[in-house]
Amino acid sequence: MSKQEISARKSGNKLKLPRAVGKGRQVDPKALSEVQALLGDESRNKDLLIEHLHKIQDAYHHISAKHLVALAREMKLSKAEVYEVATFYHHFDVVKEDEVAPPALTVRVCESLSCDMSGAEGLISSLENGLGDGVRVQRVPCIGRCDKAPVAVVGMNPIENAQADAVIEAVENNNIEPEKLDITDYDAYLQQEGYSTYQQCTNGSYSVEQVLDLMDDSGLRGLGGAGFPAGRKWRIVRGMPEPKLMAVNIDEGEPGTFKDKYYLERDPHCFLEGMLIAAWATGIHDIYIYLRDEYAAIREMLEVEIAKLVENPPVDQLPTLHLRRGAGAYICGEESAMIESIEGKRGMPRLRPPFVAEVGLFGRPTLEHNMESVYWVRDILKKGPSCLTDHGRHGRVGLRSFSISGRVNKPGVHLAPAGITMRELIDEYCGGMLEGHEFYGYFPGGASGGILPASLGDVPLDFDTLQEYDCFIGSAAVVVFSDQDSARHLAVNAMKFFEEESCGQCTPCRVGTAKAVTLMEKPQWDEGLLTELSDVMIDTSICGLGQAAPNPVKSVMKYFPEELTAEGVK
């Protein structure tokens, strides 16, 4: 008799034998074998959880309970942890045992601001009626093609300026793959003296202090929306203890934003070179690139081009590059939520301090940048800070990449002087308003940046110029609307987006956005209650989503009060 059994008898207790099997769902051997085949020789580290969930979703078009349990076993994670991560992201279809899996093919139709104005609702209705039960038609938020609205995505194949017939034809022909991009590839970039500036940094032609001074002199600020001076950020991170990491945010999910996509589809190595220079200047040897899942063609292209770069590096000791795939969560545009996602967790913003420059990715000091911010680094060094500082209007200095969509003749990304006004943008860059449309208002900074009327179309557009109007420029995502549109309706569209995209971590945002939608959909707005709700959300939400979500509501009450009367409803 064992000591354990003797002890149990002495105490009068029954010996509790170990379970033959664990509690909860058991691992299905076939599912485990399938998961192991998908993962192959890749690491099972926890931070790759989202990458491995994508493998299952891509292979089976959903994630079954048995595959989820098998993945938890294979990665040595709890089933609860894998489940909570998988169900957090919109692009994972988790199917329980008693549920029916969705069709293998999904057609996603954007219903955000620009697509809504361009007839997305009618397109969705036509597709729901025209496609059979074997295809799922799914309403989705902005997919970064606002200048080609409305947009539908058949599998991974985007159909721009979409008509129902074209989408149905793509489904019938099984055209589901991403488009092919015409880029300046690695070999062509090298022939244009590509990476020579990076080589000059590593061979001593530039000192770190010289580069930092050039960044300061250029006035370059974070172009993801926050506008923090890039040179100052580099100095802060450079002074932090090693090891340090870098995270590049290409999760541009703000409705109306598509500038990062525009540059990556043309000159990706300009971005990669600027990124490498930033890592060199701050003493970083590992770089994580976080790309939104909607950019499937860019992901395929970057995988190829990064492989070429690594195989034939322009310098010795190239930093290790990690390309990570988002999974459909707007909140991961917030820097700390993105870091959580890279670590294989739900994309929930962290409380600050500490800031990510001190305690960021994997607990290490982290240089976080928007893609466009590092895209300009090469030119700043090669051409001098004047390539930015020689431009500007109305007392402002620099250049801004405006993503312009809506009721204009030439939507798209327009590189224009900082401080340009909306009327100047429309007349000089966008070919005027569409025929039959009169300029009525605009979102200067995407869905979260507020709404301004045409009467404020002569306000300079730049960082720090719109605060007095309770708006901000953010990532310069400009959505122009006309007298045929309703600011009130567009504000409801924006608030529904925030309700859907709230991570749910804090009550003011989670409950506030839902309550706001309910109040805004009523025929008569309770302006007093909406104002009180907005103030609570702004004052108490953890991150910028909840703090900025009320901006369109407040703008309508302030600048479009006539739409809130019975006579003014459009």
Side-chain angles (χ1 to χ4, degrees), residues 162-204:
Q163 301 294 322
D165 291 347
V167 177
I168 292 171
E169 182 182 353
V171 171
E172 291 174 345
N173 293 331
N174 199 37
N175 293 334
I176 61 174
E177 297 302 320
E179 73 275 31
K180 298 301 180 183
L181 302 179
D182 182 15
I183 64 161
T184 300
D185 67 9
Y186 186 54
D187 292 335
Y189 189 72
L190 290 178
Q191 291 173 5
Q192 299 170 8
E193 299 185 345
Y195 292 102
S196 62
T197 306
Y198 178 44
Q199 291 169 335
Q200 289 174 319
C201 291
T202 59
N203 67 19

Side-chain angles (χ1 to χ4, degrees), residues 106-152:
T106 295
V107 175
R108 296 179 170 88
V109 183
C110 173
E111 61 174 355
S112 288
L113 297 170
S114 299
C115 287
D116 180 47
M117 288 193 291
S118 298
E121 194 62 42
L123 176 62
I124 292 169
S125 177
S126 297
L127 293 176
E128 288 175 341
N129 294 327
L131 293 172
D133 295 336
V135 179
R136 174 176 59 168
V137 178
Q138 190 176 54
R139 297 168 179 266
V140 297
C142 185
I143 56 177
R145 297 174 183 270
C146 317
D147 55 331
K148 302 293 193 301
V151 179

Side-chain angles (χ1 to χ4, degrees), residues 240-542:
M240 293 293 168
E242 294 189 358
K244 295 170 283 193
L245 303 171
M246 183 175 182
V248 182
N249 195 334
I250 321 179
D251 195 58
E252 55 175 3
E254 182 74 36
T257 311
F258 46 92
K259 62 181 180 63
D260 293 351
K261 171 180 170 292
Y262 174 86
Y263 288 118
L264 284 171
E265 288 181 340
R266 289 158 176 78
D267 197 359
H269 287 280
C270 181
F271 148 65
L272 292 170
E273 183 171 9
M275 177 188 75
L276 291 170
I277 293 170
W280 165 81
T282 49
I284 289 171
H285 305 291
D286 277 272
I287 303 173
Y288 289 78
I289 303 168
Y290 189 86
L291 178 69
R292 72 179 309 202
D293 194 32
E294 289 82 353
Y295 293 170
I298 292 176
R299 182 176 67 252
E300 290 186 354
M301 174 273 293
L302 282 178
E303 289 172 347
V304 171
E305 295 304 312
I306 289 174
K308 293 178 183 177
L309 176 64
V310 172
E311 184 178 344
N312 182 27
V315 303
D316 295 331
Q317 298 180 331
L318 191 76
T320 303
L321 306 180
H322 311 263
L323 180 61
R324 292 296 175 85
R325 180 178 174 185
Y330 166 74
I331 190 62
C332 291
E334 197 275 342
E335 61 178 7
S336 65
M338 175 194 66
I339 284 172
E340 290 285 299
S341 187
I342 292 174
E343 293 180 355
K345 305 172 187 174
R346 294 174 294 170
M348 288 189 166
R350 298 174 179 177
L351 291 171
R352 285 167 286 190
F355 298 96
V356 299
E358 304 166 285
V359 181
L361 188 56
F362 305 120
R364 300 307 309 164
T366 301
L367 177 66
E368 190 275 343
H369 262 313
N370 167 257
M371 190 290 300
E372 194 199 351
S373 301
V374 293
Y375 182 86
W376 295 110
V377 168
R378 181 203 66 185
D379 283 355
I380 290 171
L381 271 61
K382 193 172 183 178
K383 302 177 182 178
S386 61
C387 70
L388 297 182
T389 58
D390 281 354
H391 303 274
R393 289 190 189 179
H394 306 295
R396 310 301 299 181
V397 176
L399 289 169
R400 293 304 305 267
S401 300
F402 291 93
S403 304
I404 303 180
S405 61
R407 308 294 193 184
V408 294
N409 281 311
K410 295 180 181 178
V413 173
H414 296 289
L415 186 62
I420 194 171
T421 70
M422 191 65 250
R423 290 190 187 278
E424 290 170 340
L425 272 172
I426 292 172
D427 294 340
E428 298 176 31
Y429 289 83
C430 300
M433 298 290 292
L434 288 173
E435 185 176 354
H437 290 263
E438 182 179 335
F439 180 35
Y440 179 48
Y442 63 108
F443 289 76
S448 60
I451 312 175
L452 291 173
S455 60
L456 292 176
D458 295 317
V459 176
L461 298 176
D462 196 12
F463 293 117
D464 314 318
T465 62
L466 302 178
Q467 281 87 334
E468 63 180 292
Y469 307 103
D470 295 322
C471 293
F472 59 80
I473 192 172
S475 59
V478 179
V479 182
V480 183
F481 57 95
S482 76
D483 56 343
Q484 298 186 27
D485 302 303
S486 162
R488 171 178 173 160
H489 172 80
L490 293 172
V492 173
N493 181 295
M495 188 59 74
K496 285 182 176 179
F497 168 79
F498 294 126
E499 178 190 18
E500 178 70 17
E501 294 299 328
S502 172
C503 74
Q505 179 177 191
C506 67
T507 302
C509 178
R510 181 184 67 251
V511 177
T513 51
K515 180 66 174 176
V517 168
T518 301
L519 292 171
M520 294 167 71
E521 287 186 323
K522 291 184 176 181
Q524 187 68 41
W525 281 16
D526 186 334
E527 296 187 50
L529 186 54
L530 277 169
T531 298
E532 183 180 355
L533 178 62
S534 297
D535 290 343
V536 170
M537 292 173 65
I538 292 168
D539 292 341
T540 59
S541 295
I542 289 175

Side-chain angles (χ1 to χ4, degrees), residues 16-258:
K16 188 173 182 180
L17 297 176
R19 289 177 176 272
V21 294
K23 289 184 178 180
R25 292 181 173 88
Q26 302 307 305
V27 177
D28 180 270
K30 182 173 182 291
L32 181 60
S33 176
E34 290 168 343
V35 167
Q36 290 171 338
L38 287 173
L39 271 57
D41 295 331
E42 293 191 34
S43 168
R44 270 60 168 171
N45 287 349
K46 177 182 176 181
D47 61 288
L48 290 172
L49 173 57
I50 294 171
E51 297 296 309
H52 295 336
L53 285 167
H54 273 302
K55 292 180 176 65
I56 300 173
Q57 177 73 38
D58 291 346
Y60 298 99
H61 310 293
H62 67 279
I63 301 174
S64 66
K66 64 181 182 180
H67 283 131
L68 191 148
V69 171
L71 181 62
R73 165 69 69 84
E74 185 66 14
M75 297 188 71
K76 296 182 173 58
L77 299 172
S78 73
K79 293 185 282 287
E81 183 174 5
V82 176
Y83 177 80
E84 74 173 11
V85 171
T87 54
F88 180 85
Y89 295 94
H90 296 313
H91 289 186
F92 296 139
D93 294 307
V94 178
V95 178
K96 298 179 181 178
E97 289 91 339
D98 57 346
E99 295 177 341
V100 178
L105 181 60
T106 295
V107 175
R108 296 179 170 88
V109 183
C110 173
E111 61 174 355
S112 288
L113 297 170
S114 299
C115 287
D116 180 47
M117 288 193 291
S118 298
E121 194 62 42
L123 176 62
I124 292 169
S125 177
S126 297
L127 293 176
E128 288 175 341
N129 294 327
L131 293 172
D133 295 336
V135 179
R136 174 176 59 168
V137 178
Q138 190 176 54
R139 297 168 179 266
V140 297
C142 185
I143 56 177
R145 297 174 183 270
C146 317
D147 55 331
K148 302 293 193 301
V151 179
V153 182
V154 180
M156 293 185 180
N157 175 28
I159 310 296
E160 299 177 335
N161 302 122
Q163 301 294 322
D165 291 347
V167 177
I168 292 171
E169 182 182 353
V171 171
E172 291 174 345
N173 293 331
N174 199 37
N175 293 334
I176 61 174
E177 297 302 320
E179 73 275 31
K180 298 301 180 183
L181 302 179
D182 182 15
I183 64 161
T184 300
D185 67 9
Y186 186 54
D187 292 335
Y189 189 72
L190 290 178
Q191 291 173 5
Q192 299 170 8
E193 299 185 345
Y195 292 102
S196 62
T197 306
Y198 178 44
Q199 291 169 335
Q200 289 174 319
C201 291
T202 59
N203 67 19
S205 298
Y206 284 105
S207 69
V208 171
E209 196 58 37
Q210 281 178 306
V211 170
L212 294 175
D213 287 342
L214 288 169
M215 293 299 296
D216 289 336
D217 293 343
S218 73
L220 181 68
R221 297 173 67 169
L223 297 173
F228 193 84
R232 191 190 310 172
K233 181 183 286 189
W234 290 19
R235 291 182 187 276
I236 291 170
V237 175
R238 180 168 178 77
M240 293 293 168
E242 294 189 358
K244 295 170 283 193
L245 303 171
M246 183 175 182
V248 182
N249 195 334
I250 321 179
D251 195 58
E252 55 175 3
E254 182 74 36
T257 311
F258 46 92

